[in-house]
């Protein structure tokens, strides 16, 4: 793995370090627990006296709920049943608190999508709960449903970005190229299904309601439960269990599940376990937003982009959930890392009677990146340009502005990643070799595809400023530090990199820093574990908290702050400080160190404090009989600021690329009457280790001044470019035009036959 380093002073880092931790592959903090089976996932929790919770779901895309009738022959005293009528009677607010107030915990009057929750049942065993469900009769009146997002009439959110004078650009153009591109749903397919255990209010603790489970955002659940029960947030305690992956699928949906479990726990007076099986998890939870992105591009004779008109349409499903912010990030990235003085980007997310769509790794950027990078290959073909040269002429340089008018100091990394990936992939030589190979081969064709892309770090615009996240470190005797944040570990390495950041800031050994899974009774609100913000944003806050600890302890010990501690001096200073009654907690809050400014109304200004940059090349082989695609190799250059843990960073990038290839080639959610018809892993096709090609990574590092030790966000970046690169490679191999993913063998065959018909008619 090649490492290209741009040496630059990074704010906040000690100039001398006693122990080098950042940039090394220390042992994963929770790795031993997982390896030995000691880590407790929610399904492993042994909760004495717990009952099993079950959700009764609607079969219709849209229907009027006429009534729920319990069979009198069944012994209902042995189970607990909760409906919307019970919530109304108890004065509960039947709304899942998030961005919009449109989604109920339980249907009260009208079903809006298949699998919507209508009733909840708790019983001593799963079998008893299922038996009770069979003795419920629910009457519906079917209503017309909107299932086609391109014809939908209800809009959740709109955005528009304007830059320059588009009306002047197109009359001056030598070339105008249009295109429309479609993307489908994608299932998160995390290893561990959604699961929650809820406990009834505890009178001994002032009526505290406790919830444990698999989640990304504990304080989201706190807010949702507080609103549901109309009680102070301090009475909601949410504890993350070991979590087996999320990819966004456990960002907002656990709000719903936690509410269901807590309602049942209150109803039966016992702890309640709600653990989805794979089929329920796939059919009832959120997916990546499908969409259509239309492009109209004006270029001059030299292939320079004069104007870009982009229209983004996303399918939000039945309720708002996180759709407005997914659309926001989509429109902000729709013009890509390219120079253009005249831009209009319009975005809408609409309602359909399908299960709500929500967060998924990339958060709207993979959709628009696929459209843009596929469109640029189409542009290159129509105007007779090499696709590499077209991108090279239009990529941003340092200090040039994005579609929102943001001048980005390190935008030249876009060109650096392009040149690095072309060199590593031996682009020119490989294309020549493919041309020769294709002339000899009768049954197969080979091709190369390229995608250039970027991804903003952290919340959009003023989001981080409004969130004002907090993190803390705690000083422990005899001389160690404990990290306190609400950022969750889902397999990506949060606990490890946080320990690295704090250890390096203080100049202590890695094993002197403790971490634990979040418990909202014990940690401050550090914001959600989303948006590639964990290391770059929360890690920076943690480093500030560690510097506050260093300053407080140094003042007590009569020494200069910022100087690495020896273990002996740290232990002595800690013992003396704590014995003297010193406060062991040192907190820091997000302070907008980059002085980010964004106009949330006009969508202009600094959309993100920092961007990570990438370029990916994919090499494929296509069988002309079956039109199956074999990915031979992936080469990707990724500029990520600084790799805190290089091996974890490599794993994030490789995993994201593999996930993107799956979306581009295999993964198709088959919808039937608004419901996922292939909600099992037997017929939802995921890439396996056999399908995953060799992935050659090139790390480029331009340290971000305001990230911890230069780090930017990287978790979502690799998801953005794999799909367009692989589809561009298929198009290159066959000389066909593909405008939709997944690029299944059937769609490739259709494009091949269309090409043959055009050639024959000519």
């Amino acid at each position: 793995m090649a490492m290209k380093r741009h040496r630059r002073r990074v704010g906040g880092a000690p100039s001398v370090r006693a122990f080098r931790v950042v940039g090394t592959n220390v042992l994963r903090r929770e790795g031993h627990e997982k390896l030995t089976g000691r880590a407790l996932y929610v399904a492993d929790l042994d909760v004495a006296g717990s009952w099993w919770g079950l959700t009764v779901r609607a079969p219709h895309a849209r229907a009027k709920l006429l009534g729920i009738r319990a069979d009198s022959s069944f012994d209902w005293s042995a189970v607990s049943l909760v409906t919307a009528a019970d919530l109304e009677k108890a004065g509960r607010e039947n709304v899942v608190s998030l961005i919009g107030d449109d989604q109920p915990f339980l249907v009260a009057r009208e079903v809006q999508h298949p699998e919507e929750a209508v009733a909840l049942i708790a019983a001593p065993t799963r079998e008893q709960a299922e038996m009770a469900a069979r003795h419920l009769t629910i009457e519906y009146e079917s209503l017309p449903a909107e299932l086609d997002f391109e014809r939908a009439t209800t809009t959740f959110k709109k955005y528009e970005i304007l830059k320059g004078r588009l009306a002047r650009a197109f009359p001056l153009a030598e070339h105008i190229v249009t295109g429309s591109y479609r993307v489908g749903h994608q299932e998160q397919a995390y290893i561990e299904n959604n699961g929650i255990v809820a406990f009834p209010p505890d009178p001994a603790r002032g009526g505290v309601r406790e919830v444990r489970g698999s989640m990304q955002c504990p304080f989201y659940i706190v807010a949702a439960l507080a609103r549901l029960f109309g009680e102070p947030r301090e009475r909601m305690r949410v504890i993350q269990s070991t979590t087996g992956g999320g990819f966004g699928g456990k960002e907002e949906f656990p709000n719903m599940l936690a509410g269901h479990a807590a309602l049942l726990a209150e109803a039966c007076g016992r702890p309640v376990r709600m653990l989805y099986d794979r089929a329920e998890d796939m059919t009832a939870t959120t997916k990546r937003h499908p969409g259509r992105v239309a492009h109209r591009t004006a270029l001059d004779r030299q292939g320079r982009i004069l104007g870009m008109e982009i229209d983004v349409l996303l399918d939000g499903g039945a309720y708002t959930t996180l759709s407005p912010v997914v659309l926001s990030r989509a429109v902000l990235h729709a013009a890509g890392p390219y120079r253009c003085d005249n831009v209009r980007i319009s975005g809408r997310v609409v309602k359909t009677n399908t299960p709500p769509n929500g967060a998924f790794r990339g958060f709207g950027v993979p959709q628009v990146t696929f459209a843009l990078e596929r469109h640029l290959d189409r542009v290159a073909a129509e105007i007779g340009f090499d696709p590499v040269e077209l991108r090279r002429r239009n990529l941003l340089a340092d200090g040039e502005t994005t579609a929102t008018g943001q001048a980005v100091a390190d935008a030249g990394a876009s060109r650096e990643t392009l040149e690095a990936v072309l060199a590593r992939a031996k682009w020119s030589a490989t294309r020549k070799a493919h041309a020769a190979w294709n002339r000899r081969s009768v049954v197969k064709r080979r091709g190369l595809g390229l995608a250039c892309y970027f991804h903003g770090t952290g919340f959009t615009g003023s989001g981080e400023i409004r969130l004002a996240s907090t993190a803390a470190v705690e000083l422990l005797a005899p001389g160690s530090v404990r990290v306190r944040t609400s950022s969750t570990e889902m397999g990506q390495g949060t606990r490890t990199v946080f320990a690295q950041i704090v250890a390096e800031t203080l100049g202590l050994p890695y094993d002197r820093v403790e971490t634990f899974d979040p418990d909202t009774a014990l940690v401050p609100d550090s914001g959600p574990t989303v948006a590639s913000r964990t290391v770059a944003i929360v890690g920076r806050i943690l480093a500030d908290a560690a510097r506050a600890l260093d300053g407080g302890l140094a003042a007590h010990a009569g020494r200069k702050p910022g100087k690495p501690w020896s273990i002996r001096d740290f232990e002595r200073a800690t013992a003396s400080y704590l014995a003297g009654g010193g406060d062991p907690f040192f907190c820091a809050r997000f302070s907008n160190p980059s002085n980010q400014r964004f106009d949330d109304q006009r969508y202009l200004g600094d959309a993100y404090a920092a961007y990570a940059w990438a370029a990916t090349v994919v090499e494929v082989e296509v069988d002309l009989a079956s039109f199956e695609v074999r990915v031979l190799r992936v080469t990707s250059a990724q500029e990520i600021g600084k790799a805190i843990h290089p091996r974890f960073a490599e794993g994030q990038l490789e995993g994201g690329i593999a996930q993107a290839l799956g979306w581009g080639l295999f993964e198709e959610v088959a919808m039937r009457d608004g419901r996922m018809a292939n909600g099992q892993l037997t017929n939802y096709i995921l890439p396996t280790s056999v399908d995953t090609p060799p992935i050659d990574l090139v790390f480029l590092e331009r340290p971000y001044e305001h990230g911890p030790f230069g780090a930017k966000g990287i978790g979502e970046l690799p998801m953005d470019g794999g799909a367009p690169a692989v589809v561009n490679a298929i198009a290159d191999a066959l000389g066909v035009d593909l405008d939709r993913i997944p690029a299944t063998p059937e769609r490739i065959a259709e494009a091949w036959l269309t090409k043959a018909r055009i050639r024959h008619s000519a």
Side-chain angles (χ1 to χ4, degrees):
M1 179 165 40
M3 302 290 286
K4 181 177 180 182
R5 301 182 185 276
H6 299 258
R7 299 192 180 276
R8 192 178 293 181
R9 181 173 176 80
V10 180
S15 57
V16 180
R17 302 182 183 94
F19 299 93
R20 180 157 180 78
V21 183
V22 165
T24 67
N25 295 319
V26 297
L27 290 177
R28 177 181 285 273
R29 181 49 56 96
E30 80 288 0
H32 186 262
E33 296 174 6
K34 290 178 176 177
L35 184 65
T36 58
R38 294 176 182 171
L40 296 179
Y41 296 83
V42 63
D44 299 323
L45 298 179
D46 185 10
V47 182
S50 62
W51 279 22
W52 186 272
L54 177 147
T55 309
V56 180
R57 302 186 179 278
H60 303 282
R62 182 167 174 250
K64 188 181 294 184
L65 177 60
L66 300 178
I68 302 174
R69 189 172 68 254
D71 184 352
S72 59
S73 66
F74 183 77
D75 182 9
W76 290 97
S77 66
V79 301
S80 289
L81 171 66
V82 176
T83 67
D86 297 310
L87 271 63
E88 186 176 354
K89 193 181 302 181
R92 306 302 185 204
E93 190 169 2
N94 188 12
V95 61
V96 183
S97 182
L98 203 61
I99 293 173
D101 288 344
D102 57 344
Q103 185 174 20
F105 280 98
L106 293 167
V107 173
R109 292 171 185 83
E110 189 174 299
V111 172
Q112 294 295 319
H113 67 84
E115 307 301 324
E116 189 166 11
V118 177
L120 304 171
I121 294 173
T125 68
R126 181 172 187 165
E127 292 73 22
Q128 287 173 281
E130 291 173 347
M131 178 68 72
R134 288 195 289 271
H135 284 80
L136 274 184
T137 300
I138 305 177
E139 297 178 355
Y140 304 94
E141 178 187 326
S142 184
L143 297 172
E146 285 192 332
L147 302 178
D148 183 352
F149 72 90
E150 295 192 68
R151 298 182 180 180
T153 57
T154 301
T155 298
F156 286 136
K157 189 69 177 179
K158 292 181 179 179
Y159 293 105
E160 185 173 60
I161 297 172
L162 297 173
K163 178 187 180 186
R165 299 286 296 274
L166 198 67
R168 290 184 178 180
F170 279 87
L172 299 174
E174 181 74 17
H175 308 281
I176 298 176
V177 183
T178 62
S180 186
Y181 308 90
R182 286 166 174 77
V183 297
H185 290 91
Q186 188 180 15
E187 159 65 29
Q188 288 89 351
Y190 25 67
I191 294 174
E192 179 205 23
N193 301 330
N194 272 283
I196 291 286
V197 176
F199 297 80
D202 185 353
R205 293 188 294 166
V208 167
R209 299 176 188 270
E210 184 175 310
V211 164
R212 297 173 180 257
S214 185
M215 64 189 69
Q216 291 182 225
C217 310
F219 278 96
Y220 276 13
I221 298 176
V222 167
L225 293 177
R227 184 167 183 183
L228 170 62
F229 292 103
E231 296 171 354
R233 294 190 180 195
E234 293 72 26
R235 287 174 61 178
M236 310 299 151
R237 184 177 187 180
V238 179
I239 304 170
Q240 185 209 14
S241 306
T242 302
T243 297
F247 305 119
K250 294 174 184 173
E251 178 174 348
E252 82 275 22
F253 190 84
N255 292 5
M256 170 80 75
L257 183 54
H260 287 170
L263 286 167
L264 286 173
E266 182 181 63
C268 69
R270 299 172 177 83
V272 171
R273 297 155 53 92
M274 296 192 77
L275 308 175
Y276 287 177
D277 61 19
R278 183 63 70 176
E280 185 174 22
D281 199 287
M282 292 181 73
T283 56
T285 67
T286 58
K287 304 281 178 286
R288 184 183 301 285
H289 289 69
R292 184 221 66 212
V293 184
H295 277 265
R296 183 169 173 255
T297 308
L299 304 100
D300 66 14
R301 186 170 298 177
Q302 287 74 41
R304 288 187 289 265
I305 299 174
L306 301 176
M308 302 175 76
E309 188 173 25
I310 307 170
D311 182 69
V312 180
L313 177 64
L314 298 180
D315 178 358
Y319 295 112
T320 304
T321 64
L322 293 171
S323 289
V325 283
V326 173
L327 177 67
S328 168
R329 190 171 284 260
V331 298
L332 288 167
H333 288 79
Y338 297 102
R339 179 190 314 109
C340 185
D341 293 331
N342 305 287
V343 179
R344 180 165 64 220
I345 303 170
S346 303
R348 284 189 304 138
V349 60
V350 296
K351 173 179 178 172
T352 59
N353 295 115
T354 62
N357 298 307
F360 196 133
R361 189 180 201 170
F363 212 71
V365 183
Q367 292 93 316
V368 296
T369 302
F370 170 75
L372 176 60
E373 289 302 299
R374 187 70 201 100
H375 183 65
L376 289 180
D377 266 28
R378 176 180 282 181
V379 169
E382 288 201 18
I383 71 175
F385 260 65
D386 178 79
V388 169
E389 186 56 31
L390 177 68
R391 289 171 170 84
R392 186 179 278 137
R393 292 189 182 193
N394 289 287
L395 283 168
L396 292 167
D398 284 353
E400 291 187 327
T401 59
T402 65
T404 65
Q406 179 178 359
V408 184
D410 65 351
S414 61
R415 177 71 173 265
E416 290 181 15
T417 57
L418 173 62
E419 301 303 337
V421 80
L422 294 175
R424 180 64 72 89
K426 300 178 181 177
W427 176 273
S428 297
T430 304
R431 291 202 76 177
K432 290 177 182 177
H434 283 174
W437 194 89
N438 289 341
R439 284 193 295 269
R440 295 192 305 269
S441 176
V442 177
V443 296
K444 293 183 180 181
R445 295 285 188 273
R446 288 183 177 176
L448 273 181
L450 168 69
C452 299
Y453 47 103
F454 68 159
H455 201 102
T457 293
F459 273 13
T460 293
S462 57
E464 292 292 350
I465 300 168
R466 291 195 303 270
L467 192 62
S469 298
T470 304
V473 291
E474 179 187 5
L475 188 61
L476 304 172
S480 59
V481 176
R482 179 183 291 143
V483 171
R484 290 181 179 264
T485 80
S486 64
S487 298
T488 54
E489 171 67 61
M490 299 173 284
Q492 81 280 40
T494 296
R495 289 175 58 182
T496 303
V497 297
F498 278 178
Q500 288 180 276
I501 289 167
V502 171
E504 183 102 353
T505 302
L506 295 171
L508 292 175
Y510 171 67
D511 61 8
R512 288 282 170 147
V513 181
E514 298 181 10
T515 61
F516 60 96
D517 288 326
D519 174 342
T520 59
L522 303 176
V523 299
D525 188 351
S526 312
T529 311
V530 301
S532 291
R533 66 183 299 276
T534 302
V535 174
I537 304 297
V538 183
R540 163 69 192 227
I541 301 170
L542 264 182
D544 289 345
R547 280 189 285 273
L549 183 153
D550 174 65
L553 203 60
H556 177 80
R559 52 173 271 162
K560 185 178 179 181
K563 178 183 176 183
W565 291 87
S566 70
I567 295 175
R568 184 177 182 182
D569 286 347
F570 192 75
E571 288 179 343
R572 285 178 173 175
T574 297
S576 173
Y577 176 83
L578 294 177
D583 187 348
F585 296 100
F586 296 84
C587 298
R589 186 179 296 272
F590 179 78
S591 59
N592 192 22
S594 66
N595 198 30
Q596 184 181 358
R597 294 289 182 269
F598 188 74
D599 186 329
D600 290 291
Q601 277 67 50
R602 295 191 299 156
Y603 255 53
L604 297 175
D606 303 334
Y608 300 97
Y611 294 86
W613 312 81
T616 295
V617 169
V618 174
E619 183 179 356
V620 301
E621 183 178 277
V622 185
D623 189 304
L624 295 179
S626 66
F627 292 98
E628 290 181 290
V629 177
R630 184 164 71 98
V631 181
L632 301 176
R633 184 176 59 149
V634 175
T635 309
S636 190
Q638 312 254 339
E639 192 286 298
I640 60 172
K642 170 67 178 179
I644 301 294
H645 191 294
R647 190 169 295 157
F648 284 3
E650 185 178 358
Q652 283 283 300
L653 299 178
E654 289 181 346
I657 289 168
Q659 204 167 27
L661 293 177
W663 185 50
L665 291 174
F666 308 119
E667 297 183 46
E668 184 157 29
V669 173
M671 300 296 285
R672 186 176 300 147
D673 297 326
R675 184 180 189 274
M676 184 179 184
N678 58 331
Q680 308 88 27
L681 293 184
T682 52
N683 53 9
Y684 179 80
I685 307 303
L686 289 166
T688 67
S689 57
V690 174
D691 305 300
T692 304
I695 299 175
D696 186 9
L697 293 176
V698 183
F699 279 0
L700 304 181
E701 293 185 326
R702 278 193 176 200
Y704 167 46
E705 181 181 2
H706 303 294
F709 302 96
K712 300 176 181 178
I714 68 168
E716 293 175 293
L717 176 70
M719 184 73 225
D720 299 339
V726 74
V727 175
N728 284 343
I730 297 167
D732 176 59
L734 302 180
V736 298
D737 191 11
L738 295 165
D739 59 8
R740 183 175 180 178
I741 52 175
T744 59
E746 294 82 1
R747 292 193 178 112
I748 298 170
E750 182 181 352
W752 178 260
L753 292 173
T754 299
K755 173 187 172 183
R757 283 194 294 267
I758 293 172
R759 184 184 299 165
H760 179 73
S761 62

